[in-house]
Amino acid sequence: MMLTLCLPLSALATPHHAAHHVVRHAKTKKTSRPVAAARPVLAVVSGSIDAHSLLMPDQPYPLREWDGSLATLREAAQARTAPWLAVMVDNTTLYTACRDGVVQTLPAPSAPTTSRVAATSPCGIQAGEQSIVLAWDRGRLGDMAPDWSDFWDIARHPGKRALRLDPRGTLEIALMADGVASRDVYGVLSSPAGVDRAFRKLDQLRPYLVWWRTAEEASRIMNSGAALMLSTPFDRLADLGPKVSFAAQWRQSLRQKLSWAIPRNVPSDQTEAIIKMLRDQTPLHDDTQDAPQDGRDLGSLAMSDSFWAMNFDALQKRFQTWLTSTP
């Protein structure tokens, strides 16, 4: 099955989606270092503007993409003038940012609330989900849609592979490539033997791997042809050159929850208004417009916020040790 990118969004049937319109332009699109803006902005997922994956209510704030990294969020939160009123962040990064005081702890909503979505942590308000898919170069591999086991099959499909330079998502992909069903991934990964299994699988691919740290780097890998296949946020397929022919495989894609957070340096006189907007007219990210809609079970994996909250520090150390070890 080959799934190509189709940029226009179709109308969504749920009441929440029907209350929004799709953002199709934003003058403050490009990802950059966090600098104070002339007008307060909302920071959104990298690639989401070109991909038309933002479902936004009427609100007065321009949008600016950011790279999603904790280091950039820390820098923004330490600036003398807050560059962002609110930031869309994945929940595993939010956990650390909340724990470390990089973002504000939000007051509990006064009861009753009209919020369409509930808070996902003391520091966050639900902001939708993001998909991590397997993308492949149709110009070299053809229209066969590979799966994660094909991703590891260098003999049949020679060429470089690219993965996120982070244990989050990468270890889950390694286990699915090793035959673990998506529903069983976190059960396996919760044991020392399961962690060892994931790293042994990565060992097999080590000589052929290139890495991306940010979603923009994933786009650069595709545009340059530096890898035959890669894991990538789906949004980034909308930002490819006219002669680049990568397509997405939705089977066993990863679904990562997102939240809105408010950096700690946003002034208190602005915080109340932005919280009210986020709770009552929640801007959401939805990148599934091009996913199969025929009821097929794609075996998608919902990334576990609770697993990574408990295990990220230890697995990050193990991952860094593996990266620097001699094969």
Side-chain angles (χ1 to χ4, degrees):
M1 174 185 67
M2 183 203 50
L3 296 167
T4 56
L5 184 66
C6 179
L7 292 182
L9 287 173
S10 59
L12 298 174
T14 64
H16 180 70
H17 288 146
H20 295 71
H21 63 270
V22 179
V23 171
R24 299 194 179 275
H25 64 278
K27 293 182 179 179
T28 51
K29 171 203 163 185
K30 293 300 181 182
T31 304
S32 61
R33 306 299 295 174
V35 294
R39 293 178 58 197
V41 302
L42 304 181
V44 297
V45 172
S46 176
S48 57
I49 293 173
D50 277 348
H52 308 314
S53 56
L54 296 170
L55 307 175
M56 303 289 288
D58 292 328
Q59 49 84 25
Y61 307 108
L63 308 179
R64 175 173 294 159
E65 294 181 358
W66 75 296
D67 65 17
S69 71
L70 182 59
T72 300
L73 181 55
R74 288 187 191 277
E75 184 178 347
Q78 293 168 357
R80 179 175 298 179
T81 301
W84 310 324
L85 280 177
V87 55
M88 189 178 279
V89 60
D90 72 77
N91 280 11
T92 55
T93 300
L94 174 65
Y95 173 82
T96 302
C98 187
R99 180 195 66 190
D100 296 350
V102 177
V103 295
Q104 298 184 29
T105 300
L106 305 180
S110 56
T113 178
T114 59
S115 177
R116 297 183 177 92
V117 290
T120 53
S121 88
C123 299
I125 297 171
Q126 183 180 331
E129 294 183 344
Q130 180 180 39
S131 299
I132 307 296
V133 298
L134 190 168
W136 80 97
D137 188 344
R138 288 183 297 162
R140 288 184 282 170
L141 193 59
D143 289 342
M144 180 205 82
D147 59 21
W148 293 118
S149 63
D150 296 314
F151 193 94
W152 256 256
D153 195 341
I154 300 296
R156 289 183 59 204
H157 310 296
K160 293 290 187 179
R161 309 298 198 258
L163 291 168
R164 183 184 181 191
L165 190 61
D166 195 300
R168 295 172 297 175
T170 298
L171 296 183
E172 291 96 323
I173 287 170
L175 287 177
M176 289 191 289
D178 204 39
V180 178
S182 55
R183 63 180 177 275
D184 299 326
V185 162
Y186 288 109
V188 173
L189 201 54
S190 294
S191 69
V195 172
D196 290 343
R197 179 177 176 178
F199 279 100
R200 282 198 303 271
K201 194 66 176 176
L202 287 174
D203 281 337
Q204 299 172 8
L205 210 56
R206 186 197 289 260
Y208 308 98
L209 281 171
V210 294
W211 300 97
W212 55 268
R213 292 178 175 83
T214 67
E216 278 193 314
E217 290 179 357
S219 288
R220 286 197 286 271
I221 288 170
M222 288 186 279
N223 277 314
S224 67
L228 179 68
M229 307 182 211
L230 75 160
S231 67
T232 179
F234 178 72
D235 284 346
R236 298 311 310 185
L237 275 79
D239 191 31
L240 302 181
K243 297 183 179 180
V244 179
S245 57
F246 275 80
Q249 165 64 284
W250 284 91
R251 185 173 180 274
Q252 290 190 317
S253 57
L254 281 65
R255 296 287 289 159
Q256 187 170 46
K257 293 182 178 65
L258 304 172
S259 291
W260 285 106
I262 299 177
R264 68 185 183 194
N265 55 348
V266 173
S268 57
D269 61 344
Q270 295 178 297
T271 298
E272 183 176 351
I274 195 69
I275 290 174
K276 178 174 174 55
M277 188 276 288
L278 292 174
R279 283 179 170 160
D280 293 346
Q281 297 175 286
T282 313
L284 290 176
H285 181 276
D286 182 358
D287 59 8
T288 60
Q289 312 310 312
D290 294 302
Q293 304 292 330
D294 57 6
R296 279 175 288 172
D297 181 8
L298 298 175
S300 297
L301 173 65
M303 292 184 67
S304 173
D305 299 335
S306 59
F307 174 86
W308 284 111
M310 294 175 59
N311 296 287
F312 175 71
D313 290 341
L315 289 177
Q316 174 73 344
K317 290 178 182 177
R318 174 76 181 269
F319 188 66
Q320 291 298 324
T321 299
W322 177 81
L323 286 169
T324 57
S325 64
T326 302

